[in-house]
Amino acid sequence: MSIRNIKWFGLALLVVLGSCARRPVAEKPIKLEKRKTSELIFVMDSLSAIRPNSFYTKIKCHFSDTNRRISFKTSIRSIKDSIINPIITYAGIPIVNSIIRRDSLFISNRKDKCAIRTNMGYIKESFGVDFDYRNIEELLLGLPVAYDTTQKYFQINDPYNYIISSHRKRIIKKENKNKHDKDGINLHPRRNGIDNNNEEEGEDNVMIRYFIHPSLKSISRLVIDSPDDTTHISVDYIDRDTVGTYLLPKEVIIDIVTARNHIVLTMDYDKTEINTPQEIYFVIPEEYGDCSSEK
């Protein structure tokens, strides 16, 4: 792995964010029983609160963008609301270790003997998506990303899907042209004083839709749109495994389209564990330089 690819590895670590040829297999749609919006909101509230105390898994990843394709493996260890530790291996050799905390990010590149010491703003600066620690945890666990129980949500009527949205359907269709936060998708408008509860005006230009599985036990898809900067993110939870009392991801496809890039990542989970003690080891050798200064 060369220095010029370190930013990509940052994305892989942070999103831990399919292959170009893989897509969900289309099936004949089945009409679903109608549900009240209040019932679906209750489901979303419940799903957003489900978090094991600790989490471990191994993931086979297939990554592609407009410039490259690569496959690698990663192991993930995490402790609830505290720390996420992704380790990337290539050809069976650990090459990148990292620590993600609420306010900091550390990446140690063993192959190039360099490191990155930064904060969570690195994600937005590099990729235009304002993922924070909690969002990464939600993504890994298959939970509703950036869902806020204090925000008002709406049901989008669809006979084949249960969809809860941050905006009404008519607002989504209008593709709000108001310009705010041109640097990229901001999943946390309240931090900038934006009130996303205005159901008529749709002040926040970031639109999030959650597709609830017909069983009402998980979400099957997440779609984030930012019309201002033509960014579209979809996360498809193709398959899940029951681990204890949790329905955790087994196969995930993440598709990110921006004005300059198209990123596709598939993740196949294996040997997932929850609520078991996790030992985390992370050291940056003194001789390692700064990856960002390398050429």
Side-chain angles (χ1 to χ4, degrees):
M1 178 181 61
S2 63
I3 294 300
R4 65 177 178 272
N5 287 332
I6 191 65
K7 276 195 173 184
W8 165 74
F9 274 105
L11 175 64
L13 289 165
L14 298 170
V15 183
V16 172
L17 256 166
S19 127
C20 286
R22 300 177 64 185
R23 290 291 184 273
V25 177
E27 297 180 357
K28 184 177 180 179
I30 300 175
K31 285 191 176 181
L32 301 176
E33 174 186 353
K34 288 186 177 180
R35 302 281 185 176
K36 293 182 179 179
T37 300
S38 59
E39 182 180 2
L40 297 181
I41 293 296
F42 177 81
V43 170
M44 291 292 296
D45 288 350
S46 300
L47 291 176
S48 68
I50 300 175
R51 296 171 190 267
N53 292 323
S54 65
F55 173 73
Y56 168 80
T57 193
K58 291 185 176 182
I59 304 177
K60 293 180 181 179
C61 299
H62 304 277
F63 173 92
S64 70
D65 67 4
T66 53
N67 297 314
R68 59 189 164 261
R69 296 185 185 183
I70 191 169
S71 297
F72 60 94
K73 294 181 180 180
T74 181
S75 63
I76 307 291
R77 289 177 173 84
S78 72
I79 299 174
K80 180 182 177 182
D81 296 329
S82 175
I83 190 170
I84 300 173
N85 174 218
I87 300 175
I88 287 180
T89 61
Y90 188 76
I93 301 173
I95 55 174
V96 176
N97 194 1
S98 66
I99 290 291
I100 303 169
R101 293 187 179 275
R102 286 187 170 274
D103 59 354
S104 59
L105 164 68
F106 299 92
I107 303 173
S108 176
N109 183 332
R110 177 180 176 182
K111 184 177 185 298
D112 294 315
K113 298 187 184 305
C114 65
I116 290 177
R117 301 169 177 86
T118 186
N119 56 42
M120 296 304 290
Y122 175 85
I123 309 173
K124 189 171 182 180
E125 292 169 4
S126 301
F127 311 107
V129 181
D130 187 20
F131 280 117
D132 63 14
Y133 175 92
R134 188 174 180 86
N135 298 149
I136 297 170
E137 194 175 65
E138 291 164 341
L139 185 66
L140 290 172
L141 294 171
L143 303 178
V145 175
Y147 182 78
D148 185 349
T149 57
T150 66
Q151 179 178 314
K152 185 177 181 64
Y153 289 91
F154 309 93
Q155 180 177 184
I156 294 181
N157 293 323
D158 183 330
Y160 306 107
N161 295 283
Y162 295 136
I163 305 173
I164 290 296
S165 173
S166 60
H167 292 67
R168 292 186 183 276
K169 191 172 185 178
R170 66 175 181 271
I171 298 297
I172 296 175
K173 285 186 174 181
K174 282 173 63 177
E175 292 190 350
N176 194 328
K177 298 300 180 182
N178 293 334
K179 295 183 179 179
H180 112 209
D181 192 19
K182 282 296 290 180
D183 292 332
I185 285 184
N186 183 356
L187 300 182
H188 316 282
R190 291 175 180 273
R191 295 178 187 171
N192 296 329
I194 303 298
D195 181 1
N196 199 27
N197 284 326
N198 189 328
E199 63 183 76
E200 296 302 325
E201 298 301 326
E203 290 180 342
D204 178 21
N205 67 332
V206 177
M207 306 169 188
I208 307 180
R209 283 167 284 164
Y210 305 93
F211 291 69
I212 303 174
H213 191 275
S215 68
L216 305 184
K217 295 181 179 180
S218 65
I219 61 168
S220 57
R221 191 170 193 241
L222 167 72
V223 177
I224 304 172
D225 284 297
S226 178
D228 283 2
D229 49 25
T230 62
T231 299
H232 174 87
I233 300 174
S234 64
V235 182
D236 288 278
Y237 293 97
I238 306 303
D239 195 11
R240 290 180 181 260
D241 263 344
T242 300
V243 182
T245 58
Y246 297 86
L247 267 176
L248 297 175
K250 182 174 177 60
E251 181 182 358
V252 184
I253 298 179
I254 299 171
D255 193 300
I256 303 174
V257 179
T258 69
R260 298 182 179 180
N261 204 356
H262 182 194
I263 298 168
V264 183
L265 175 70
T266 62
M267 305 191 298
D268 295 312
Y269 289 56
D270 188 29
K271 299 181 179 179
T272 302
E273 301 175 6
I274 59 166
N275 297 330
T276 58
Q278 297 298 325
E279 295 184 354
I280 294 175
Y281 300 95
F282 183 82
V283 175
I284 297 177
E286 292 183 1
E287 67 270 19
Y288 277 25
D290 182 359
C291 290
S292 59
S293 66
E294 300 286 346
K295 305 208 175 169

